[in-house]
Amino acid sequence: MDFIVRYLSDLSPVLAAFYASLFTWIVTAAGASVVFFSKTANRNFLDCMLGFTGGVMVAASIWSLLIPAIEMQDGEGILKVLPAVIGFLLGAAFLLGLDKVLPHFHVNFKQVEGVKSPWQKTTLLILAITLHNIPEGLAVGVLFGAVAAGVPDASIGGAVALAVGIGLQNFPEGIAVSMPLRRMGVSRIKSFYYGQLSAVVEPMAAVLGALAVGIFTPLLPYALSFAAGAMMFVVVEEVIPEAQQNKNSDWATIGFIGGFIIMMTLDVVLA
């Protein structure tokens, strides 16, 4: 891990963000590849992994994004926290807008959101997971940009920890796309292809986030909290409700706690 941190430290923030988010895409593809070995996945396992996803995203939003956004702002009281509040609200509003406009299926196939569309179920499911991945890639890119900007509470180790945490929770996301497609009769190869395709947006979002921070450095506190707000919206709107669909919700709760602890630990240890 130290080698990776040193290697990324020598790169430009944009290239470092691209490589880190490329890792998160590879893990998604690894999750999607499970479809080659099985047509179904244990529901308790999926609920646990969805809970894990939520725990990682919440912890990352707090330790990796919101705390640095607040600490880098001068002033006291409301003035110190105001940029983080504004950015957080804008990030949540941005995802809310996408959620209302972009046609997509919830993972449970029981509800379609967004404008009416003739698109097939496969496309709608992929778009649902893609919505999850936009703020994740953006968060990685913005944090690497924060390191380049010299934010005291931002470090390459912390950025790597964020990428690792997001990568870990991307594994079940790959399963969550490929498995339902396989059950719908889609071939294994196509199910895998669409499963990994859902995370292609992450390197794109990461590069855009790093570029934006590099060009508009004064907006960095807003950008960090924007990514946090977008991630928290996904957790509350999509991840947690889906994880609680099963009667035995304890698995989702255990997964959430585990994901939160792992992400918090990674951020502190690697920072």
Side-chain angles (χ1 to χ4, degrees):
M1 189 65 72
D2 288 340
F3 168 76
I4 295 174
V5 172
R6 290 196 301 269
Y7 175 73
L8 293 178
S9 299
D10 296 331
L11 302 178
S12 71
V14 173
L15 192 57
F18 175 76
Y19 285 155
S21 57
L22 202 61
F23 163 76
T24 65
W25 166 75
I26 290 172
V27 179
T28 306
S33 69
V34 173
V35 77
F36 289 112
F37 309 101
S38 176
K39 192 173 183 178
T40 60
N42 182 273
R43 181 66 207 192
N44 288 336
F45 170 76
L46 287 179
D47 288 344
C48 185
M49 289 296 96
L50 282 170
F52 181 87
T53 294
V56 168
M57 294 175 76
V58 170
S61 297
I62 296 171
W63 268 269
S64 300
L65 301 171
L66 283 176
I67 290 178
I70 294 171
E71 291 300 322
M72 72 175 295
Q73 184 65 25
D74 296 328
E76 297 180 356
I78 189 66
L79 292 178
K80 188 171 183 63
V81 76
L82 188 59
V85 171
I86 294 173
F88 191 88
L89 289 173
L90 289 175
F94 175 71
L95 260 291
L96 176 62
L98 287 181
D99 190 64
K100 296 299 182 183
V101 173
L102 189 65
H104 64 282
F105 249 125
H106 284 282
V107 180
N108 57 21
F109 282 102
K110 294 179 181 178
Q111 184 180 358
V112 180
E113 291 189 348
V115 298
K116 292 184 178 180
S117 170
W119 294 344
Q120 296 180 347
K121 288 183 178 181
T122 53
T123 303
L124 295 175
L125 178 61
I126 293 166
L127 288 175
I129 304 299
T130 300
L131 274 177
H132 294 190
N133 291 330
I134 291 174
E136 294 169 7
L138 185 64
V140 172
V142 168
L143 195 54
F144 273 102
V147 174
V151 177
D153 282 354
S155 66
I156 286 291
V160 170
L162 178 62
V164 170
I166 289 176
L168 289 175
Q169 57 93 31
N170 273 3
F171 185 85
E173 285 191 0
I175 297 175
V177 177
S178 61
M179 286 296 187
L181 293 178
R182 180 60 181 151
R183 288 197 300 268
M184 290 166 55
V186 179
S187 69
R188 283 188 171 87
I189 293 178
K190 285 188 175 181
S191 296
F192 166 76
Y193 172 76
Y194 289 129
Q196 60 82 33
L197 188 65
S198 65
V200 168
V201 70
E202 286 198 14
M204 300 177 190
V207 168
L208 288 176
L211 282 173
V213 169
I215 297 172
F216 305 106
T217 303
L219 297 180
L220 185 53
Y222 299 92
L224 287 167
S225 50
F226 180 96
M231 289 177 69
M232 291 292 281
F233 178 88
V234 169
V235 172
V236 177
E237 172 70 12
E238 302 279 353
V239 177
I240 298 302
E242 172 58 24
Q244 297 290 326
Q245 290 290 322
N246 197 16
K247 292 181 180 180
N248 188 1
S249 61
D250 290 345
W251 286 103
T253 303
I254 293 170
F256 182 94
I257 293 172
F260 190 96
I261 290 173
I262 288 175
M263 186 63 236
M264 178 179 63
T265 303
L266 284 172
D267 190 79
V268 173
V269 171
L270 295 180

